[in-house]
Amino acid sequence: MAPPSDTPLLGRLALHYKLVTREQLERAARLQVEEGGTRRLGEILIAQGSLSERDLERLLAAQRELLAKQQTQTPAPGAAAASPAGASLDALLAHAVARGASDVHLHAGAPIQLRIDGALEPLDGAPPLSPAEAERLAAGALDAEQRAQLAAGGQVDLAYTLAGVGRFRGNVYRQQRGLDAVFRAIPAAPPTLDALGLPRTLARFANYHQGIVLFTGPAGCGKSATMAALVHIVNEERRDHIITIEDPIEVVHPSLRCLVNQRQVGRDTGSFARALRAALREDPDVLVIGELRDLETISLALTAAETGHLVFATLHTNNAVRTVNRLVGVFPPEQQSQIRTMVSESLRAVVSQRLLRRADGAGRVPALEVLVNTKAVANLIRESKTFQIRSVLQTGAAHGMTLLDTSLAEMVRTGTVAREEALRHAEEPQRFMGKAA
């Protein structure tokens, strides 16, 4: 979500770290103008209940460090772009955060690119990076062990922390022109449902004590952030042991009421499956799996859900029906009948989402498909009639269910997103055209 260029830096950082919503920030800014600037923006946000004093202290510290870095490393907003050879990776990432970018792309032979509101934009007219410049920038995030992994395998995943700015999930890889890297900005604090623009009704999925809740959608749709918001609710409200298994660790969850242990694949454990097998002997109440990648991981996740644990996990599927089919279809045919029964009993909900550009150009907004596992849904899964789940989604509003296309149509009706933008994400475009008319 990119804030307008005239938004104060404190406000842009608060949006980036998902501590406030755009509506809360705009309301505070309007009040500040009406009062003639007699109160600072942070004071108003606290008075409105949008921000805590602790959050403000962290934002002010981040603002001071970012300004100091920009003064010493990027004296002008376009300095990193005007001379990539003279900019450091830290200065580039700080500049990207100030611009509201979600991702930074470094590609040998191409200009530095920022992804803002879902679209890639060249960095202020930056010239193409030479292979040597791209390698210098990318290598700035690697330690000796990661350099060795890159040399041996041609790619490496990593988490990179920049003090006062934030954390980044990165991937560095070799391609035909040289070394490339992509860095995704991660909120410094766990996001909330309100800050993500998600309905508070999703919070009920944090109340389960057994079963599996899946967060699905294409890459970059915000499913990891949604899952992190639910984990944060559990952490604030319950007294449980939470174990997360991620590659790499994204949002850092400090232990609040819960005891939280976060393990990074490759650094703390050999694989998702290996960590899951160990976790079942570590007295967890809640297991958080960064991604269900293979049969073994899916099998262990279902077993954990069946044996009295609450499991949160993400999956790269486009809707609820495909999610259920993927869980079953990854197993050999002779096991699928048994797996359908396991899924029908253990599945609690599927939250599938997309991020769409707002019609007013002020960032992006999530559209959801939500499946809740009622008795009717469980029977359809068990009887291998998942193609009928779409009909249940259409009529399941009383249970908190909704189809993606229904969510899109409502956003068009209220003017939140343009019809053309919604149509790009619709599951059944022909039916959707009539629904959104």
Side-chain angles (χ1 to χ4, degrees):
M1 177 182 291
S5 59
D6 59 349
T7 301
L9 178 57
L10 182 82
R12 282 183 277 160
L13 288 170
L15 277 178
H16 170 73
Y17 292 140
K18 302 188 187 304
L19 296 174
V20 300
T21 65
R22 173 169 293 278
E23 289 72 21
Q24 289 170 333
L25 181 59
E26 290 175 348
R27 187 164 63 249
R30 284 196 300 271
L31 184 57
Q32 186 181 38
V33 172
E34 291 170 2
E35 294 179 348
T38 56
R39 285 195 295 168
R40 295 180 182 273
L41 183 64
E43 295 173 3
I44 297 174
L45 287 168
I46 288 177
Q48 290 179 340
S50 305
L51 201 67
S52 69
E53 292 188 6
R54 181 182 177 187
D55 286 336
L56 179 59
E57 290 174 2
R58 291 163 56 196
L59 283 174
L60 290 172
Q63 179 178 249
R64 286 193 296 270
E65 292 196 35
L66 180 54
L67 289 172
K69 282 183 179 293
Q70 289 178 331
Q71 288 173 358
T72 59
Q73 297 176 321
T74 53
S83 179
S88 69
L89 176 65
D90 287 2
L92 177 61
L93 294 177
H95 179 73
V97 167
R99 288 279 305 275
S102 62
D103 299 84
V104 179
H105 286 247
L106 308 176
H107 300 286
I112 296 169
Q113 305 262 334
L114 304 182
R115 188 176 294 279
I116 299 176
D117 292 341
L120 283 175
E121 299 179 7
L123 178 60
D124 301 330
L129 287 171
S130 70
E133 290 169 337
E135 183 156 356
R136 177 185 63 78
L137 287 168
L142 304 179
D143 58 26
E145 183 178 348
Q146 290 164 341
R147 288 190 178 93
Q149 291 177 16
L150 177 63
Q155 62 188 28
V156 62
D157 291 320
L158 63 123
Y160 186 68
T161 301
L162 182 55
V165 176
R167 300 180 68 253
F168 300 84
R169 183 185 74 197
N171 180 272
V172 180
Y173 60 98
R174 293 201 176 276
Q175 48 100 348
Q176 62 176 351
R177 293 189 300 270
L179 197 65
D180 287 7
V182 178
F183 295 91
R184 169 159 294 180
I186 304 298
T192 65
L193 293 176
D194 289 342
L196 295 174
L198 295 167
R200 286 292 302 170
T201 52
L202 295 184
R204 65 190 173 123
F205 299 144
N207 294 330
Y208 293 120
H209 288 267
Q210 178 269 334
I212 186 167
V213 179
L214 297 172
F215 303 86
T216 75
C221 72
K223 55 185 177 291
S224 294
T226 301
M227 182 170 71
L230 269 289
V231 173
H232 185 56
I233 292 173
V234 174
N235 193 16
E236 285 189 315
E237 298 180 355
R238 290 161 56 170
R239 290 194 177 278
D240 286 340
H241 182 199
I242 301 172
I243 297 177
T244 80
I245 306 165
E246 303 168 77
D247 182 21
I249 291 171
E250 295 192 15
V251 176
V252 174
H253 294 275
S255 294
L256 300 176
R257 287 176 62 87
C258 289
L259 172 63
V260 184
N261 287 309
Q262 297 186 258
R263 304 191 70 194
Q264 182 164 306
V265 174
R267 185 193 68 186
D268 307 320
T269 182
S271 67
F272 279 100
R274 184 175 180 181
L276 266 174
R277 282 195 298 271
L280 294 176
R281 300 188 295 271
E282 293 161 0
D283 190 31
D285 299 288
V286 182
L287 289 168
V288 182
I289 307 170
E291 184 181 348
L292 296 179
R293 291 182 176 176
D294 51 41
L295 186 152
E296 187 178 12
T297 306
I298 291 173
S299 177
L300 287 166
L302 290 175
T303 299
E306 193 177 44
T307 55
H309 305 87
L310 175 60
V311 179
F312 289 146
T314 73
L315 195 62
H316 287 289
T317 48
N318 286 335
N319 60 32
V321 175
R322 291 193 186 102
T323 299
V324 175
N325 289 339
R326 171 74 186 282
L327 289 178
V328 176
V330 73
F331 291 87
E334 64 271 15
Q335 296 182 25
Q336 290 183 9
S337 177
Q338 175 190 354
I339 298 302
R340 277 196 295 271
T341 300
M342 286 183 67
V343 173
S344 70
E345 294 173 351
S346 298
L347 183 67
R348 292 293 170 263
V350 178
V351 180
S352 184
Q353 69 183 67
R354 305 289 189 278
L355 283 178
L356 287 78
R357 284 176 172 267
R358 295 177 61 100
D360 59 7
R364 292 188 291 173
V365 62
L368 300 181
E369 178 165 287
V370 180
L371 172 68
V372 178
N373 190 14
T374 62
K375 288 184 178 179
V377 172
N379 287 335
L380 292 176
I381 295 173
R382 196 161 37 245
E383 296 169 7
S384 192
K385 295 180 179 179
T386 53
F387 62 91
Q388 294 183 18
I389 289 178
R390 185 175 176 86
S391 297
V392 178
L393 284 167
Q394 288 176 315
T395 58
H399 297 284
M401 293 193 252
T402 185
L403 269 173
L404 177 65
D405 286 4
T406 302
S407 177
L408 293 171
E410 176 63 16
M411 293 166 76
V412 172
R413 187 189 68 79
T414 57
T416 305
V417 301
R419 190 168 179 272
E420 295 74 18
E421 173 72 358
L423 194 59
R424 289 178 51 239
H425 297 270
E427 288 285 320
E428 295 187 353
Q430 295 304 319
R431 289 189 181 183
F432 178 79
M433 288 173 68
K435 187 181 295 185

